[in-house]
Amino acid sequence: MASPPLALAQSPPHCWSELPLDLMQLIFERLGFADFERAKSVCSSWLSGSRQSKPNNKIPWMILFPEEKNYCLLLNPEEKEEKLYKTHHLGDDFANSLCLATCRSWLLMKTFREVPLYILNLLTLERINLPVSYGFDSPILWMDERSEDYLVIREDLAYLKKGDNSWKKISEQLSGSQRSMVFKDHKLYGLTKEELRIFDFSGEFPLQVSRVNVGGCVKLEKIGGMRSPEPWEFNQLRRRNNVVVTLGGDVLIVRSKNPHRSYSWNFRIFKMDSSNEEAIILDLGTTVLAKDQEGVTSNSIYFTNHQMYRFGADIFVFNLDTNKVEQLPQLVSSVSFSEARWFVPSFRND
């Protein structure tokens, strides 16, 4: 009698939660921010593995501020479906607040009442109340993710650091408001009517390290003919000079013009060297790598019209190759929102 064939040994089924840590890290580091957040909620093992990794997030998201709401809508340009994500409740006074600046996931907020400013983390809901109020329009916000050290800089070169109880001036001798400012690698790049000023904030006190006359680049031509029916400040916003610092550290000056009652824009870029594989995010004063990235177009300028009008919140992309402008995204055209801004999602691993 023939003996029965040997039974195949059945190996126990593998569980995704038992992946080796080094393999799990390779998975996490290939995910964008949204997929990273989803993956770390799979199980406790994946949550633990996520703390050793960072998401592969290279392009900004958009924040939409619905009118009179205590939450925001977030749009990820990498997702072709253009999904909108709703944040948690952001506080009872959020609906009566105005966003002045962003730094990664942190927002600098001002209420419509004469009360101190506050800084809010859009994702973790952490809040820092500042000891000062604010009367300017376009400050700079910088945050250290771990220590929560912060720095706020006004256009008149007054600044506030963590531990300060009042504004301090960089120098009383420097006159002229900064028309555009960018903060990168502990340096402030400020553009006035005719000068580009660079200040180093890495020490205990800020120091001016460069001062260059760029009047030939930034001088805007006068409006001729009949007087415009719009207020003077609207004409100024339709014709702006923006300073942009690229990923490689090059400084660009971007001139924008928007004719009265027109949806067309003209841009001129003054630069030393730049890669057309990058895209300019005008709202953040920086560039992002656009090659092989979903949701962002190379050699383009992304901007929101609150930079031109300070009212409304349309989002546009200007293609420098075709000289055409396109409104983005089509999905949110039915959403009533008062403002739109760019931000770079971030989080802490602790």
Side-chain angles (χ1 to χ4, degrees):
M1 182 175 179
S3 59
L6 295 175
L8 294 176
Q10 294 185 353
S11 58
H14 292 286
C15 180
W16 284 104
S17 63
E18 297 175 358
L19 284 177
L21 181 59
D22 55 349
L23 181 57
M24 197 178 298
Q25 290 177 3
L26 290 176
I27 295 174
F28 274 107
E29 290 173 358
R30 283 167 171 74
L31 300 178
F33 181 82
D35 289 335
F36 189 100
E37 291 294 303
R38 296 186 187 105
K40 75 179 188 180
S41 64
V42 169
C43 62
S44 59
S45 177
W46 282 51
L47 176 61
S48 177
S50 71
R51 292 172 177 154
Q52 310 299 321
S53 311
K54 290 185 178 180
N56 182 27
N57 186 66
K58 296 182 178 179
I59 66 173
W61 287 27
M62 283 180 278
I63 317 174
L64 309 179
F65 296 84
E67 296 179 351
E68 300 181 355
K69 301 294 184 181
N70 289 318
Y71 60 84
C72 292
L73 300 176
L74 308 181
L75 178 74
N76 179 7
E78 293 178 291
E79 296 183 335
K80 295 181 180 180
E81 297 86 358
E82 295 182 342
K83 296 178 181 178
L84 288 174
Y85 297 92
K86 181 179 177 180
T87 67
H88 296 290
H89 190 289
L90 297 175
D92 293 334
D93 56 353
F94 187 83
N96 295 316
S97 298
L98 176 68
C99 181
L100 299 176
T102 68
C103 179
R104 294 182 292 277
S105 297
W106 296 86
L107 311 180
L108 177 63
M109 304 298 298
K110 169 190 176 182
T111 65
F112 295 124
R113 304 182 301 274
E114 291 298 323
V115 297
L117 303 174
Y118 66 94
I119 302 173
L120 178 69
N121 190 302
L122 192 63
L123 303 178
T124 66
L125 307 186
E126 296 170 87
R127 174 167 171 159
I128 302 173
N129 294 317
L130 303 186
V132 296
S133 57
Y134 191 74
F136 293 77
D137 291 327
S138 303
I140 288 290
L141 171 66
W142 174 83
M143 288 287 303
D144 184 286
E145 291 285 356
R146 293 194 174 276
S147 66
E148 294 192 357
D149 289 338
Y150 59 79
L151 172 67
V152 181
I153 308 173
R154 304 189 321 204
E155 301 100 312
D156 63 347
L157 298 180
Y159 66 95
L160 178 80
K161 288 185 176 181
K162 184 177 180 179
D164 294 340
N165 293 318
S166 61
W167 296 105
K168 296 180 180 179
K169 287 281 287 187
I170 293 178
S171 174
E172 297 292 345
Q173 299 177 351
L174 291 173
S175 60
S177 176
Q178 314 307 295
R179 300 298 181 92
S180 175
M181 298 189 299
V182 173
F183 194 82
K184 180 179 174 64
D185 297 331
H186 299 284
K187 286 187 174 62
L188 174 70
Y189 299 80
L191 185 65
T192 67
K193 286 184 177 180
E194 295 188 345
E195 288 186 335
L196 174 66
R197 300 167 176 173
I198 303 177
F199 302 89
D200 189 342
F201 277 78
S202 60
E204 184 177 357
F205 301 102
L207 298 174
Q208 180 173 280
V209 296
S210 180
R211 187 173 180 176
V212 182
N213 190 309
V214 292
C217 298
V218 303
K219 185 176 181 181
L220 293 170
E221 63 271 20
K222 294 181 180 180
I223 300 177
M226 297 179 61
R227 182 177 178 181
S228 171
E230 292 184 311
W232 174 86
E233 60 269 21
F234 272 32
N235 283 320
Q236 290 297 109
L237 292 170
R238 291 184 184 279
R239 306 180 305 142
R240 285 184 60 109
N241 292 309
N242 300 270
V243 59
V244 174
V245 182
T246 70
L247 292 173
D250 293 324
V251 181
L252 314 180
I253 297 176
V254 181
R255 279 180 60 178
S256 60
K257 283 181 58 180
N258 174 222
H260 175 57
R261 296 184 182 280
S262 171
Y263 271 85
S264 65
W265 282 267
N266 298 316
F267 289 92
R268 295 185 65 186
I269 302 178
F270 299 86
K271 56 187 176 180
M272 294 176 57
D273 186 26
S274 181
S275 169
N276 60 8
E277 294 180 349
E278 297 179 11
I280 294 175
I281 309 298
L282 205 59
D283 198 17
L284 298 180
T286 189
T287 62
V288 296
L289 187 63
K291 182 181 179 181
D292 301 326
Q293 291 290 323
E294 293 287 347
V296 61
T297 305
S298 300
N299 210 27
S300 297
I301 301 175
Y302 288 79
F303 62 98
T304 49
N305 78 348
H306 72 83
Q307 295 170 288
M308 307 299 172
Y309 304 108
R310 302 291 176 92
F311 292 94
D314 292 327
I315 305 161
F316 300 92
V317 56
F318 183 86
N319 190 304
L320 293 166
D321 293 325
T322 62
N323 289 327
K324 293 183 178 179
V325 65
E326 178 184 356
Q327 186 174 358
L328 296 175
Q330 299 299 326
L331 174 68
V332 301
S333 59
S334 61
V335 179
S336 178
F337 55 97
S338 58
E339 190 180 7
R341 284 186 178 267
W342 294 93
F343 83 110
V344 180
S346 61
F347 69 101
R348 297 181 305 193
N349 284 337
D350 49 32

